[in-house]
Amino acid sequence: MTDTPRLRVLSLGAGVQSTALLLLAAEGRLPKWDAAIFSDTGWEPQRVYAHLDRLEREVAQPAGIPVYRVCVGGGNAQRISGNLRADSLNPGSFVRMPVFVIDKSGQRPAMVRRQCTEEYKVKPIKAKVRELLGYPHPRPVPADVFAEQAIGISRDEFERAKDAPVRYLRNVHPLLEMDGAADGREGWTRTDCLRYLRSRGWGETPKSACIGCPYHGNRQWRELRDHHPEEWADAVDFDHQLRQTQLRGIKAAPYLHRSLLPLDQAPIDRVSRTEWADRQGDLFDAAADAEAEDGAALGCSPWSCRGEEEMPA
Ligand code: SF4
């Protein structure tokens, strides 16, 4: 049994933390990875794809780190096309997003079980790692062959740092061991990552999450409505279509917003407590900390989904 990885990869969600990791490696502050892997649900905002293009062009390529964009395989019996939006509206497929429905008591909203992250993000990464290791499915990966996978978990969310679910992957979390945090402690917080990104000209790093993710909080829905009207219209249309489609595995009417109202009628102008805190302190750190408490606003990472307030349907 060896402890030497055959391969070292970065799980590149393209959000704040994983972007910081890629820049740190490109600067030589972290060892270089053999590959960076981005899982594409097919329904990310355009600015995430633009960010990824720029990252690849300006950071990964000059540093010699290949970026692989992977998506779930299409054409199988489950009618998966690789585009989460399209697949979620396919009458023959199961709902894969954690939409809201009325619970059994008829009183409260409940979320249906989330399958999208596993299907559309985790599985494609695992398949790519196996391919890069030289053991694509169904070839068994020998017990002593594994890849080390770096994941962008910051100190404020350290509880999300977990072992990989398969033997051929071993997770590491380099941000948790970084020096130079603003508070002098070991490990970078999301705020440290944001400050670093700003200092390197990457302060506009977007949150990576599907346009119509039900984990969006009111702040994120307003951001879409007020600043990205095409994406807002796309989400409103998707929300509407969800209820026009007979979806397998779900009986109650599905909604993207917790209020169980159509998205364009939902009370998204209601301001949460953390947002008030954010508004009252205009310092950059205060804003970032308030945002960090608003879990659903942080985007979706393959290995550490940041909106995990799941409830049984
Ligand atoms: S962003 Fe939301 S909808 Fe998209 S994969 Fe993650 S949890 Fe699912």
Side-chain angles (χ1 to χ4, degrees):
M1 188 71 90
T2 173
D3 265 340
T4 306
R6 173 87 52 101
L7 189 70
R8 296 179 64 256
V9 300
L10 168 64
S11 175
L12 182 61
V16 165
Q17 284 93 336
S18 66
T19 295
L21 284 180
L22 187 63
L23 263 68
L24 286 164
E27 279 185 6
R29 294 174 68 179
L30 288 173
K32 207 173 81 175
W33 288 287
D34 301 309
I37 306 177
F38 172 79
S39 257
D40 189 1
T41 65
W43 202 20
E44 293 276 353
Q46 202 46 49
R47 58 196 167 282
V48 170
Y49 295 117
H51 173 75
L52 190 62
D53 290 345
R54 184 184 164 211
L55 260 187
E56 186 169 10
R57 192 176 59 246
E58 296 182 18
V59 180
Q61 280 177 359
I65 302 173
V67 174
Y68 296 101
R69 304 178 193 214
V70 298
C71 63
V72 69
N76 64 16
Q78 287 183 300
R79 303 185 194 177
I80 292 178
S81 75
N83 180 294
L84 181 55
R85 186 192 198 281
D87 292 344
S88 297
L89 293 174
N90 183 334
S93 72
F94 286 101
V95 172
R96 294 184 170 79
M97 290 169 57
V99 292
F100 290 97
V101 295
I102 192 81
D103 74 357
K104 288 195 178 101
S105 74
Q107 306 289 320
R108 289 164 45 82
M111 252 182 173
V112 305
R113 195 165 72 85
R114 170 173 49 93
Q115 297 161 303
C116 43
T117 316
E118 174 70 22
E119 289 290 332
Y120 286 79
K121 294 200 166 185
V122 172
K123 282 187 180 173
I125 291 178
K126 288 198 274 194
K128 188 67 191 179
V129 167
R130 289 185 65 129
E131 181 195 315
L132 292 172
L133 284 172
Y135 298 92
H137 184 79
R139 283 187 69 193
V141 184
D144 59 346
V145 172
F146 71 95
E148 185 178 280
Q149 173 177 245
I151 299 178
I153 301 271
S154 49
R155 191 197 334 136
D156 43 290
E157 54 177 13
F158 76 95
E159 71 281 358
R160 297 189 198 281
K162 299 194 177 94
D163 290 336
V166 287
R167 200 188 53 223
Y168 59 82
L169 269 177
R170 291 196 198 168
N171 291 348
V172 293
H173 307 96
L175 290 174
L176 298 180
E177 294 164 16
M178 287 295 296
D179 294 329
D183 61 7
R185 293 168 57 194
E186 185 184 41
W188 281 13
T189 62
R190 178 179 166 83
T191 306
D192 292 314
C193 295
L194 283 166
R195 185 180 296 109
Y196 167 68
L197 291 178
R198 280 158 59 102
S199 74
R200 299 298 190 271
W202 291 85
E204 299 303 310
T205 297
K207 300 174 187 78
S208 166
C210 297
I211 288 171
C213 178
Y215 284 127
H216 287 346
N218 284 348
R219 185 204 312 242
Q220 248 172 318
W221 288 126
R222 285 198 305 276
E223 166 80 13
L224 273 194
R225 182 193 63 188
D226 299 342
H227 301 291
H228 307 285
E230 284 180 17
E231 290 169 9
W232 170 250
D234 186 26
V236 167
D237 176 66
F238 175 79
D239 176 67
H240 174 74
Q241 286 198 56
L242 272 179
R243 292 181 295 285
Q244 307 302 311
T245 312
Q246 189 59 46
L247 299 164
R248 282 172 64 188
I250 182 166
K251 294 192 181 84
Y255 294 85
L256 291 187
H257 194 271
R258 169 182 292 272
S259 64
L260 303 182
L261 289 169
L263 189 55
D264 52 355
Q265 297 168 32
I268 65 170
D269 285 306
R270 220 190 61 208
V271 175
S272 68
R273 202 159 44 87
T274 50
E275 282 185 71
W276 278 117
D278 183 351
R279 288 179 181 190
Q280 281 161 10
D282 59 356
L283 295 174
F284 165 73
D285 284 359
D289 288 344
E291 183 190 61
E293 288 170 32
D294 190 359
L298 297 183
C300 177
S301 158
W303 303 96
S304 60
C305 185
R306 294 179 170 93
E308 279 186 325
E309 300 163 21
E310 283 185 67
M311 296 172 283

